[in-house]
Amino acid sequence: MTTPTMAEIRGAAQAPNNIWWPIFYLPSGYFVWAAARLGLSPNHLTITAAISNVIGLIVIMAYPLGTASIVAAYCVFFLAHTLDFSDGQLAKVTNQRSKQGAWLDSSLDITKVAIVTACYYTIINGLSLDSMLVKVAGIFLMGNIVNYSVSLASYAYRTKVDGYDSEQSPLNYSLSVYGLSGKLGRTILSNIREYGNFLVIMILFAFFPLIALIVLICWGAAQWILAINRIRHVARVVQDS
């Protein structure tokens, strides 16, 4: 198999409207090039990303909690998320796309989110922070898992529920309820949901734990709102079908 050029790899990438996407997109192309040259499949990258997430959890669990361990875990999760960007690009540029690969990638996404959420619970419970704030953060942090779970649950009904083949997705519909739509709505939505926010909050915990805790609460609350609106829309679609 001919190794794709970097231009072909870049052309195979999507371009969502979020601020963190370019950060992961830039290094992912080199992973795709190396993987294609080594003859690796997209599933190899997907599984490697999943293993990297487990290593990140081990770093947080096995080493004394502090700046060094949090930064180390952040680096591992950053690598894992970059690999998560790479598998889709590799599948497209080498024509290896399959339903099985898409299912594996989507299934491991929730595992990724669950693992990083477990890391956050370890961090917020291990640092000397106000106990009430920690409890509140724990409750709101669950919104991230709920939001991802609902998103993956609706994956099987993609054309019907997620609206990828229709004029308006349920998430854009949710934003239109608040007077937001079109490009502005998509931009706001993608930046609220972007996993890069999760990683930025982690690095904040290494140096400014109280600020990180407050940001985590706010971001977690946004995830609950998005999850609830998605559930409401799914319920309406099911009721109308």
Side-chain angles (χ1 to χ4, degrees):
M1 181 177 64
T2 304
T3 303
T5 65
M6 191 57 67
E8 291 172 331
I9 292 171
R10 295 303 186 198
Q14 297 177 342
N17 303 311
N18 64 66
I19 59 176
W20 301 117
W21 184 84
I23 296 175
F24 299 103
Y25 160 76
L26 289 175
S28 70
Y30 296 100
F31 283 109
V32 173
W33 182 86
R37 190 172 180 82
L38 293 171
L40 300 178
S41 71
N43 287 347
H44 285 131
L45 295 184
T46 302
I47 294 171
T48 302
I51 294 172
S52 300
N53 282 312
V54 174
I55 293 173
L57 179 61
I58 292 173
V59 169
I60 290 293
M61 296 288 190
Y63 292 91
L65 189 62
T67 300
S69 60
I70 294 175
V71 170
Y74 166 82
C75 292
V76 175
F77 287 127
F78 187 95
L79 171 64
H81 195 48
T82 303
L83 287 170
D84 199 26
F85 267 67
S86 305
D87 55 6
Q89 287 176 266
L90 180 62
K92 185 175 180 180
V93 78
T94 59
N95 196 27
Q96 297 184 70
R97 287 180 289 184
S98 67
K99 291 183 178 179
Q100 293 82 2
W103 176 86
L104 179 64
D105 188 29
S106 298
S107 299
L108 289 177
D109 273 348
I110 191 63
T111 304
K112 170 183 70 177
V113 174
I115 286 175
V116 180
T117 300
C119 286
Y120 274 115
Y121 272 108
T122 302
I123 292 171
I124 63 179
N125 283 301
L127 297 175
S128 300
L129 299 171
D130 182 86
S131 59
M132 182 56 68
L133 275 178
V134 167
K135 291 177 182 177
V136 172
I139 294 172
F140 281 115
L141 183 55
M142 289 304 298
N144 188 53
I145 290 185
V146 173
N147 192 22
Y148 266 76
S149 298
V150 173
S151 176
L152 290 176
S154 64
Y155 180 82
Y157 306 96
R158 201 170 183 127
T159 58
K160 200 172 189 180
V161 178
D162 273 350
Y164 287 94
D165 295 331
S166 63
E167 295 181 358
Q168 186 182 44
S169 74
L171 295 174
N172 281 336
Y173 171 82
S174 298
L175 287 172
S176 69
V177 172
Y178 299 101
L180 300 173
S181 59
K183 184 175 181 179
L184 174 63
R186 288 192 298 272
T187 301
I188 292 174
L189 176 66
S190 63
N191 281 288
I192 291 176
R193 297 183 70 242
E194 171 55 37
Y195 185 78
N197 294 324
F198 218 19
L199 298 182
V200 169
I201 295 171
M202 176 170 286
I203 204 67
L204 276 176
F205 267 112
F207 303 100
F208 310 103
L210 183 57
I211 294 175
L213 190 67
I214 294 172
V215 173
L216 183 64
I217 291 173
C218 295
W219 188 69
Q223 302 310 301
W224 273 110
I225 292 171
L226 290 172
I228 291 170
N229 275 294
R230 181 183 281 269
I231 292 170
R232 286 175 55 198
H233 183 76
V234 170
R236 288 177 183 175
V237 170
V238 172
Q239 185 176 8
D240 294 340
S241 62

